[in-house]
mmCIF file with all atom_site columns, all heavy atoms in Angstrom:
data_model
loop_
_atom_site.group_PDB
_atom_site.id
_atom_site.type_symbol
_atom_site.label_atom_id
_atom_site.label_alt_id
_atom_site.label_comp_id
_atom_site.label_asym_id
_atom_site.label_entity_id
_atom_site.label_seq_id
_atom_site.pdbx_PDB_ins_code
_atom_site.Cartn_x
_atom_site.Cartn_y
_atom_site.Cartn_z
_atom_site.occupancy
_atom_site.B_iso_or_equiv
_atom_site.pdbx_formal_charge
_atom_site.auth_seq_id
_atom_site.auth_comp_id
_atom_site.auth_asym_id
_atom_site.auth_atom_id
_atom_site.pdbx_PDB_model_num
ATOM 1   N N   . ASP A 1 82  ? 16.067  4.688  -7.276  1.00 0.00 ? 1235 ASP A N   1
ATOM 2   C CA  . ASP A 1 82  ? 17.055  5.354  -6.408  1.00 0.00 ? 1235 ASP A CA  1
ATOM 3   C C   . ASP A 1 82  ? 16.546  5.561  -4.989  1.00 0.00 ? 1235 ASP A C   1
ATOM 4   O O   . ASP A 1 82  ? 17.301  5.474  -4.029  1.00 0.00 ? 1235 ASP A O   1
ATOM 5   C CB  . ASP A 1 82  ? 17.473  6.705  -6.998  1.00 0.00 ? 1235 ASP A CB  1
ATOM 6   C CG  . ASP A 1 82  ? 18.398  6.558  -8.195  1.00 0.00 ? 1235 ASP A CG  1
ATOM 7   O OD1 . ASP A 1 82  ? 19.071  5.507  -8.304  1.00 0.00 ? 1235 ASP A OD1 1
ATOM 8   O OD2 . ASP A 1 82  ? 18.439  7.489  -9.018  1.00 0.00 ? 1235 ASP A OD2 1
ATOM 9   N N   . PHE A 1 83  ? 15.241  5.834  -4.852  1.00 0.00 ? 1236 PHE A N   1
ATOM 10  C CA  . PHE A 1 83  ? 14.677  6.094  -3.531  1.00 0.00 ? 1236 PHE A CA  1
ATOM 11  C C   . PHE A 1 83  ? 13.934  4.882  -2.960  1.00 0.00 ? 1236 PHE A C   1
ATOM 12  O O   . PHE A 1 83  ? 13.119  5.017  -2.039  1.00 0.00 ? 1236 PHE A O   1
ATOM 13  C CB  . PHE A 1 83  ? 13.789  7.337  -3.567  1.00 0.00 ? 1236 PHE A CB  1
ATOM 14  C CG  . PHE A 1 83  ? 14.584  8.603  -3.727  1.00 0.00 ? 1236 PHE A CG  1
ATOM 15  C CD1 . PHE A 1 83  ? 14.806  9.151  -4.977  1.00 0.00 ? 1236 PHE A CD1 1
ATOM 16  C CD2 . PHE A 1 83  ? 15.152  9.208  -2.623  1.00 0.00 ? 1236 PHE A CD2 1
ATOM 17  C CE1 . PHE A 1 83  ? 15.560  10.299 -5.135  1.00 0.00 ? 1236 PHE A CE1 1
ATOM 18  C CE2 . PHE A 1 83  ? 15.904  10.367 -2.755  1.00 0.00 ? 1236 PHE A CE2 1
ATOM 19  C CZ  . PHE A 1 83  ? 16.122  10.908 -4.029  1.00 0.00 ? 1236 PHE A CZ  1
ATOM 20  N N   . ASN A 1 84  ? 14.234  3.704  -3.512  1.00 0.00 ? 1237 ASN A N   1
ATOM 21  C CA  . ASN A 1 84  ? 13.688  2.431  -3.007  1.00 0.00 ? 1237 ASN A CA  1
ATOM 22  C C   . ASN A 1 84  ? 12.165  2.423  -2.886  1.00 0.00 ? 1237 ASN A C   1
ATOM 23  O O   . ASN A 1 84  ? 11.611  1.943  -1.898  1.00 0.00 ? 1237 ASN A O   1
ATOM 24  C CB  . ASN A 1 84  ? 14.335  2.060  -1.676  1.00 0.00 ? 1237 ASN A CB  1
ATOM 25  C CG  . ASN A 1 84  ? 15.791  1.709  -1.848  1.00 0.00 ? 1237 ASN A CG  1
ATOM 26  O OD1 . ASN A 1 84  ? 16.162  1.021  -2.785  1.00 0.00 ? 1237 ASN A OD1 1
ATOM 27  N ND2 . ASN A 1 84  ? 16.624  2.203  -0.942  1.00 0.00 ? 1237 ASN A ND2 1
ATOM 28  N N   . ARG A 1 85  ? 11.489  2.932  -3.903  1.00 0.00 ? 1238 ARG A N   1
ATOM 29  C CA  . ARG A 1 85  ? 10.024  2.922  -3.929  1.00 0.00 ? 1238 ARG A CA  1
ATOM 30  C C   . ARG A 1 85  ? 9.476   1.938  -4.963  1.00 0.00 ? 1238 ARG A C   1
ATOM 31  O O   . ARG A 1 85  ? 8.289   1.950  -5.265  1.00 0.00 ? 1238 ARG A O   1
ATOM 32  C CB  . ARG A 1 85  ? 9.489   4.330  -4.221  1.00 0.00 ? 1238 ARG A CB  1
ATOM 33  C CG  . ARG A 1 85  ? 9.834   5.339  -3.164  1.00 0.00 ? 1238 ARG A CG  1
ATOM 34  C CD  . ARG A 1 85  ? 9.133   5.016  -1.890  1.00 0.00 ? 1238 ARG A CD  1
ATOM 35  N NE  . ARG A 1 85  ? 9.473   6.024  -0.877  1.00 0.00 ? 1238 ARG A NE  1
ATOM 36  C CZ  . ARG A 1 85  ? 9.235   5.874  0.397   1.00 0.00 ? 1238 ARG A CZ  1
ATOM 37  N NH1 . ARG A 1 85  ? 8.657   4.776  0.818   1.00 0.00 ? 1238 ARG A NH1 1
ATOM 38  N NH2 . ARG A 1 85  ? 9.568   6.804  1.244   1.00 0.00 ? 1238 ARG A NH2 1
ATOM 39  N N   . THR A 1 86  ? 10.344  1.091  -5.495  1.00 0.00 ? 1239 THR A N   1
ATOM 40  C CA  . THR A 1 86  ? 9.910   0.177  -6.554  1.00 0.00 ? 1239 THR A CA  1
ATOM 41  C C   . THR A 1 86  ? 8.887   -0.841 -6.063  1.00 0.00 ? 1239 THR A C   1
ATOM 42  O O   . THR A 1 86  ? 8.101   -1.345 -6.854  1.00 0.00 ? 1239 THR A O   1
ATOM 43  C CB  . THR A 1 86  ? 11.106  -0.553 -7.192  1.00 0.00 ? 1239 THR A CB  1
ATOM 44  O OG1 . THR A 1 86  ? 11.930  -1.083 -6.157  1.00 0.00 ? 1239 THR A OG1 1
ATOM 45  C CG2 . THR A 1 86  ? 11.906  0.388  -8.065  1.00 0.00 ? 1239 THR A CG2 1
ATOM 46  N N   . ARG A 1 87  ? 8.870   -1.121 -4.777  1.00 0.00 ? 1240 ARG A N   1
ATOM 47  C CA  . ARG A 1 87  ? 7.871   -2.063 -4.264  1.00 0.00 ? 1240 ARG A CA  1
ATOM 48  C C   . ARG A 1 87  ? 6.450   -1.505 -4.447  1.00 0.00 ? 1240 ARG A C   1
ATOM 49  O O   . ARG A 1 87  ? 5.478   -2.244 -4.439  1.00 0.00 ? 1240 ARG A O   1
ATOM 50  C CB  . ARG A 1 87  ? 8.137   -2.383 -2.799  1.00 0.00 ? 1240 ARG A CB  1
ATOM 51  C CG  . ARG A 1 87  ? 7.861   -1.228 -1.864  1.00 0.00 ? 1240 ARG A CG  1
ATOM 52  C CD  . ARG A 1 87  ? 8.236   -1.499 -0.418  1.00 0.00 ? 1240 ARG A CD  1
ATOM 53  N NE  . ARG A 1 87  ? 8.056   -0.325 0.398   1.00 0.00 ? 1240 ARG A NE  1
ATOM 54  C CZ  . ARG A 1 87  ? 8.856   0.723  0.440   1.00 0.00 ? 1240 ARG A CZ  1
ATOM 55  N NH1 . ARG A 1 87  ? 9.942   0.753  -0.293  1.00 0.00 ? 1240 ARG A NH1 1
ATOM 56  N NH2 . ARG A 1 87  ? 8.595   1.763  1.211   1.00 0.00 ? 1240 ARG A NH2 1
ATOM 57  N N   . ASP A 1 88  ? 6.351   -0.191 -4.627  1.00 0.00 ? 1241 ASP A N   1
ATOM 58  C CA  . ASP A 1 88  ? 5.049   0.457  -4.791  1.00 0.00 ? 1241 ASP A CA  1
ATOM 59  C C   . ASP A 1 88  ? 4.817   0.974  -6.203  1.00 0.00 ? 1241 ASP A C   1
ATOM 60  O O   . ASP A 1 88  ? 3.889   1.756  -6.427  1.00 0.00 ? 1241 ASP A O   1
ATOM 61  C CB  . ASP A 1 88  ? 4.921   1.622  -3.801  1.00 0.00 ? 1241 ASP A CB  1
ATOM 62  C CG  . ASP A 1 88  ? 4.921   1.150  -2.360  1.00 0.00 ? 1241 ASP A CG  1
ATOM 63  O OD1 . ASP A 1 88  ? 4.265   0.132  -2.073  1.00 0.00 ? 1241 ASP A OD1 1
ATOM 64  O OD2 . ASP A 1 88  ? 5.574   1.800  -1.520  1.00 0.00 ? 1241 ASP A OD2 1
ATOM 65  N N   . ILE A 1 89  ? 5.625   0.533  -7.158  1.00 0.00 ? 1242 ILE A N   1
ATOM 66  C CA  . ILE A 1 89  ? 5.528   1.093  -8.509  1.00 0.00 ? 1242 ILE A CA  1
ATOM 67  C C   . ILE A 1 89  ? 4.142   0.875  -9.130  1.00 0.00 ? 1242 ILE A C   1
ATOM 68  O O   . ILE A 1 89  ? 3.620   1.748  -9.813  1.00 0.00 ? 1242 ILE A O   1
ATOM 69  C CB  . ILE A 1 89  ? 6.647   0.581  -9.433  1.00 0.00 ? 1242 ILE A CB  1
ATOM 70  C CG1 . ILE A 1 89  ? 6.711   1.439  -10.705 1.00 0.00 ? 1242 ILE A CG1 1
ATOM 71  C CG2 . ILE A 1 89  ? 6.490   -0.895 -9.740  1.00 0.00 ? 1242 ILE A CG2 1
ATOM 72  C CD1 . ILE A 1 89  ? 7.959   1.231  -11.523 1.00 0.00 ? 1242 ILE A CD1 1
ATOM 73  N N   . ILE A 1 90  ? 3.538   -0.268 -8.872  1.00 0.00 ? 1243 ILE A N   1
ATOM 74  C CA  . ILE A 1 90  ? 2.205   -0.527 -9.441  1.00 0.00 ? 1243 ILE A CA  1
ATOM 75  C C   . ILE A 1 90  ? 1.190   0.459  -8.881  1.00 0.00 ? 1243 ILE A C   1
ATOM 76  O O   . ILE A 1 90  ? 0.390   1.036  -9.625  1.00 0.00 ? 1243 ILE A O   1
ATOM 77  C CB  . ILE A 1 90  ? 1.789   -2.000 -9.211  1.00 0.00 ? 1243 ILE A CB  1
ATOM 78  C CG1 . ILE A 1 90  ? 2.612   -2.896 -10.137 1.00 0.00 ? 1243 ILE A CG1 1
ATOM 79  C CG2 . ILE A 1 90  ? 0.292   -2.201 -9.431  1.00 0.00 ? 1243 ILE A CG2 1
ATOM 80  C CD1 . ILE A 1 90  ? 2.389   -4.374 -9.978  1.00 0.00 ? 1243 ILE A CD1 1
ATOM 81  N N   . GLU A 1 91  ? 1.225   0.692  -7.583  1.00 0.00 ? 1244 GLU A N   1
ATOM 82  C CA  . GLU A 1 91  ? 0.290   1.651  -6.975  1.00 0.00 ? 1244 GLU A CA  1
ATOM 83  C C   . GLU A 1 91  ? 0.570   3.076  -7.445  1.00 0.00 ? 1244 GLU A C   1
ATOM 84  O O   . GLU A 1 91  ? -0.361  3.859  -7.647  1.00 0.00 ? 1244 GLU A O   1
ATOM 85  C CB  . GLU A 1 91  ? 0.342   1.559  -5.454  1.00 0.00 ? 1244 GLU A CB  1
ATOM 86  C CG  . GLU A 1 91  ? -0.151  0.231  -4.905  1.00 0.00 ? 1244 GLU A CG  1
ATOM 87  C CD  . GLU A 1 91  ? -1.563  -0.128 -5.357  1.00 0.00 ? 1244 GLU A CD  1
ATOM 88  O OE1 . GLU A 1 91  ? -2.436  0.762  -5.360  1.00 0.00 ? 1244 GLU A OE1 1
ATOM 89  O OE2 . GLU A 1 91  ? -1.786  -1.291 -5.725  1.00 0.00 ? 1244 GLU A OE2 1
ATOM 90  N N   . ILE A 1 92  ? 1.834   3.416  -7.617  1.00 0.00 ? 1245 ILE A N   1
ATOM 91  C CA  . ILE A 1 92  ? 2.197   4.747  -8.122  1.00 0.00 ? 1245 ILE A CA  1
ATOM 92  C C   . ILE A 1 92  ? 1.638   4.939  -9.531  1.00 0.00 ? 1245 ILE A C   1
ATOM 93  O O   . ILE A 1 92  ? 1.032   5.970  -9.838  1.00 0.00 ? 1245 ILE A O   1
ATOM 94  C CB  . ILE A 1 92  ? 3.738   4.940  -8.105  1.00 0.00 ? 1245 ILE A CB  1
ATOM 95  C CG1 . ILE A 1 92  ? 4.244   5.014  -6.658  1.00 0.00 ? 1245 ILE A CG1 1
ATOM 96  C CG2 . ILE A 1 92  ? 4.138   6.188  -8.896  1.00 0.00 ? 1245 ILE A CG2 1
ATOM 97  C CD1 . ILE A 1 92  ? 5.755   4.910  -6.519  1.00 0.00 ? 1245 ILE A CD1 1
ATOM 98  N N   . LEU A 1 93  ? 1.817   3.932  -10.384 1.00 0.00 ? 1246 LEU A N   1
ATOM 99  C CA  . LEU A 1 93  ? 1.298   4.018  -11.748 1.00 0.00 ? 1246 LEU A CA  1
ATOM 100 C C   . LEU A 1 93  ? -0.228  4.089  -11.765 1.00 0.00 ? 1246 LEU A C   1
ATOM 101 O O   . LEU A 1 93  ? -0.816  4.845  -12.545 1.00 0.00 ? 1246 LEU A O   1
ATOM 102 C CB  . LEU A 1 93  ? 1.793   2.832  -12.584 1.00 0.00 ? 1246 LEU A CB  1
ATOM 103 C CG  . LEU A 1 93  ? 3.291   2.819  -12.885 1.00 0.00 ? 1246 LEU A CG  1
ATOM 104 C CD1 . LEU A 1 93  ? 3.691   1.503  -13.547 1.00 0.00 ? 1246 LEU A CD1 1
ATOM 105 C CD2 . LEU A 1 93  ? 3.698   4.002  -13.749 1.00 0.00 ? 1246 LEU A CD2 1
ATOM 106 N N   . LYS A 1 94  ? -0.881  3.315  -10.911 1.00 0.00 ? 1247 LYS A N   1
ATOM 107 C CA  . LYS A 1 94  ? -2.350  3.353  -10.852 1.00 0.00 ? 1247 LYS A CA  1
ATOM 108 C C   . LYS A 1 94  ? -2.852  4.737  -10.454 1.00 0.00 ? 1247 LYS A C   1
ATOM 109 O O   . LYS A 1 94  ? -3.815  5.245  -11.037 1.00 0.00 ? 1247 LYS A O   1
ATOM 110 C CB  . LYS A 1 94  ? -2.878  2.308  -9.858  1.00 0.00 ? 1247 LYS A CB  1
ATOM 111 C CG  . LYS A 1 94  ? -2.845  0.892  -10.375 1.00 0.00 ? 1247 LYS A CG  1
ATOM 112 C CD  . LYS A 1 94  ? -3.395  -0.062 -9.331  1.00 0.00 ? 1247 LYS A CD  1
ATOM 113 C CE  . LYS A 1 94  ? -3.406  -1.491 -9.782  1.00 0.00 ? 1247 LYS A CE  1
ATOM 114 N NZ  . LYS A 1 94  ? -3.922  -2.398 -8.744  1.00 0.00 ? 1247 LYS A NZ  1
ATOM 115 N N   . LEU A 1 95  ? -2.210  5.339  -9.453  1.00 0.00 ? 1248 LEU A N   1
ATOM 116 C CA  . LEU A 1 95  ? -2.619  6.676  -9.029  1.00 0.00 ? 1248 LEU A CA  1
ATOM 117 C C   . LEU A 1 95  ? -2.367  7.684  -10.149 1.00 0.00 ? 1248 LEU A C   1
ATOM 118 O O   . LEU A 1 95  ? -3.214  8.535  -10.422 1.00 0.00 ? 1248 LEU A O   1
ATOM 119 C CB  . LEU A 1 95  ? -1.890  7.108  -7.757  1.00 0.00 ? 1248 LEU A CB  1
ATOM 120 C CG  . LEU A 1 95  ? -2.198  8.527  -7.281  1.00 0.00 ? 1248 LEU A CG  1
ATOM 121 C CD1 . LEU A 1 95  ? -3.700  8.719  -7.029  1.00 0.00 ? 1248 LEU A CD1 1
ATOM 122 C CD2 . LEU A 1 95  ? -1.407  8.854  -6.027  1.00 0.00 ? 1248 LEU A CD2 1
ATOM 123 N N   . PHE A 1 96  ? -1.232  7.587  -10.813 1.00 0.00 ? 1249 PHE A N   1
ATOM 124 C CA  . PHE A 1 96  ? -0.945  8.484  -11.935 1.00 0.00 ? 1249 PHE A CA  1
ATOM 125 C C   . PHE A 1 96  ? -2.022  8.349  -13.010 1.00 0.00 ? 1249 PHE A C   1
ATOM 126 O O   . PHE A 1 96  ? -2.509  9.351  -13.540 1.00 0.00 ? 1249 PHE A O   1
ATOM 127 C CB  . PHE A 1 96  ? 0.442   8.200  -12.520 1.00 0.00 ? 1249 PHE A CB  1
ATOM 128 C CG  . PHE A 1 96  ? 0.695   8.964  -13.773 1.00 0.00 ? 1249 PHE A CG  1
ATOM 129 C CD1 . PHE A 1 96  ? 0.962   10.326 -13.730 1.00 0.00 ? 1249 PHE A CD1 1
ATOM 130 C CD2 . PHE A 1 96  ? 0.643   8.332  -15.005 1.00 0.00 ? 1249 PHE A CD2 1
ATOM 131 C CE1 . PHE A 1 96  ? 1.172   11.049 -14.900 1.00 0.00 ? 1249 PHE A CE1 1
ATOM 132 C CE2 . PHE A 1 96  ? 0.851   9.045  -16.178 1.00 0.00 ? 1249 PHE A CE2 1
ATOM 133 C CZ  . PHE A 1 96  ? 1.117   10.406 -16.122 1.00 0.00 ? 1249 PHE A CZ  1
ATOM 134 N N   . LEU A 1 97  ? -2.395  7.116  -13.335 1.00 0.00 ? 1250 LEU A N   1
ATOM 135 C CA  . LEU A 1 97  ? -3.434  6.896  -14.348 1.00 0.00 ? 1250 LEU A CA  1
ATOM 136 C C   . LEU A 1 97  ? -4.764  7.508  -13.919 1.00 0.00 ? 1250 LEU A C   1
ATOM 137 O O   . LEU A 1 97  ? -5.479  8.092  -14.744 1.00 0.00 ? 1250 LEU A O   1
ATOM 138 C CB  . LEU A 1 97  ? -3.579  5.403  -14.644 1.00 0.00 ? 1250 LEU A CB  1
ATOM 139 C CG  . LEU A 1 97  ? -2.380  4.759  -15.348 1.00 0.00 ? 1250 LEU A CG  1
ATOM 140 C CD1 . LEU A 1 97  ? -2.559  3.247  -15.424 1.00 0.00 ? 1250 LEU A CD1 1
ATOM 141 C CD2 . LEU A 1 97  ? -2.172  5.345  -16.731 1.00 0.00 ? 1250 LEU A CD2 1
ATOM 142 N N   . LYS A 1 98  ? -5.099  7.391  -12.641 1.00 0.00 ? 1251 LYS A N   1
ATOM 143 C CA  . LYS A 1 98  ? -6.337  8.004  -12.144 1.00 0.00 ? 1251 LYS A CA  1
ATOM 144 C C   . LYS A 1 98  ? -6.296  9.525  -12.285 1.00 0.00 ? 1251 LYS A C   1
ATOM 145 O O   . LYS A 1 98  ? -7.288  10.154 -12.659 1.00 0.00 ? 1251 LYS A O   1
ATOM 146 C CB  . LYS A 1 98  ? -6.586  7.629  -10.674 1.00 0.00 ? 1251 LYS A CB  1
ATOM 147 C CG  . LYS A 1 98  ? -7.168  6.267  -10.491 1.00 0.00 ? 1251 LYS A CG  1
ATOM 148 C CD  . LYS A 1 98  ? -7.498  6.003  -9.037  1.00 0.00 ? 1251 LYS A CD  1
ATOM 149 C CE  . LYS A 1 98  ? -8.017  4.600  -8.858  1.00 0.00 ? 1251 LYS A CE  1
ATOM 150 N NZ  . LYS A 1 98  ? -8.373  4.295  -7.486  1.00 0.00 ? 1251 LYS A NZ  1
ATOM 151 N N   . LEU A 1 99  ? -5.148  10.121 -11.975 1.00 0.00 ? 1252 LEU A N   1
ATOM 152 C CA  . LEU A 1 99  ? -4.998  11.570 -12.138 1.00 0.00 ? 1252 LEU A CA  1
ATOM 153 C C   . LEU A 1 99  ? -5.217  11.973 -13.596 1.00 0.00 ? 1252 LEU A C   1
ATOM 154 O O   . LEU A 1 99  ? -5.908  12.960 -13.878 1.00 0.00 ? 1252 LEU A O   1
ATOM 155 C CB  . LEU A 1 99  ? -3.608  12.024 -11.666 1.00 0.00 ? 1252 LEU A CB  1
ATOM 156 C CG  . LEU A 1 99  ? -3.325  11.923 -10.182 1.00 0.00 ? 1252 LEU A CG  1
ATOM 157 C CD1 . LEU A 1 99  ? -1.838  12.172 -9.902  1.00 0.00 ? 1252 LEU A CD1 1
ATOM 158 C CD2 . LEU A 1 99  ? -4.180  12.905 -9.397  1.00 0.00 ? 1252 LEU A CD2 1
ATOM 159 N N   . CYS A 1 100 ? -4.642  11.219 -14.499 1.00 0.00 ? 1253 CYS A N   1
ATOM 160 C CA  . CYS A 1 100 ? -4.804  11.507 -15.929 1.00 0.00 ? 1253 CYS A CA  1
ATOM 161 C C   . CYS A 1 100 ? -6.248  11.320 -16.374 1.00 0.00 ? 1253 CYS A C   1
ATOM 162 O O   . CYS A 1 100 ? -6.788  12.131 -17.138 1.00 0.00 ? 1253 CYS A O   1
ATOM 163 C CB  . CYS A 1 100 ? -3.888  10.618 -16.767 1.00 0.00 ? 1253 CYS A CB  1
ATOM 164 S SG  . CYS A 1 100 ? -2.139  11.025 -16.614 1.00 0.00 ? 1253 CYS A SG  1
ATOM 165 N N   . GLN A 1 101 ? -6.879  10.259 -15.887 1.00 0.00 ? 1254 GLN A N   1
ATOM 166 C CA  . GLN A 1 101 ? -8.269  10.009 -16.252 1.00 0.00 ? 1254 GLN A CA  1
ATOM 167 C C   . GLN A 1 101 ? -9.163  11.154 -15.787 1.00 0.00 ? 1254 GLN A C   1
ATOM 168 O O   . GLN A 1 101 ? -10.045 11.600 -16.528 1.00 0.00 ? 1254 GLN A O   1
ATOM 169 C CB  . GLN A 1 101 ? -8.741  8.680  -15.658 1.00 0.00 ? 1254 GLN A CB  1
ATOM 170 C CG  . GLN A 1 101 ? -8.101  7.484  -16.322 1.00 0.00 ? 1254 GLN A CG  1
ATOM 171 C CD  . GLN A 1 101 ? -8.245  6.206  -15.513 1.00 0.00 ? 1254 GLN A CD  1
ATOM 172 O OE1 . GLN A 1 101 ? -8.773  6.192  -14.414 1.00 0.00 ? 1254 GLN A OE1 1
ATOM 173 N NE2 . GLN A 1 101 ? -7.739  5.114  -16.066 1.00 0.00 ? 1254 GLN A NE2 1
#
Side-chain angles (χ1 to χ4, degrees):
D1235 286 336
F1236 289 94
N1237 292 318
R1238 297 293 181 194
T1239 49
R1240 70 185 175 283
D1241 295 318
I1242 194 167
I1243 287 176
E1244 295 304 317
I1245 291 168
L1246 292 172
K1247 284 181 179 179
L1248 177 58
F1249 172 74
L1250 292 173
K1251 280 185 183 181
L1252 292 170
C1253 290
Q1254 290 164 357

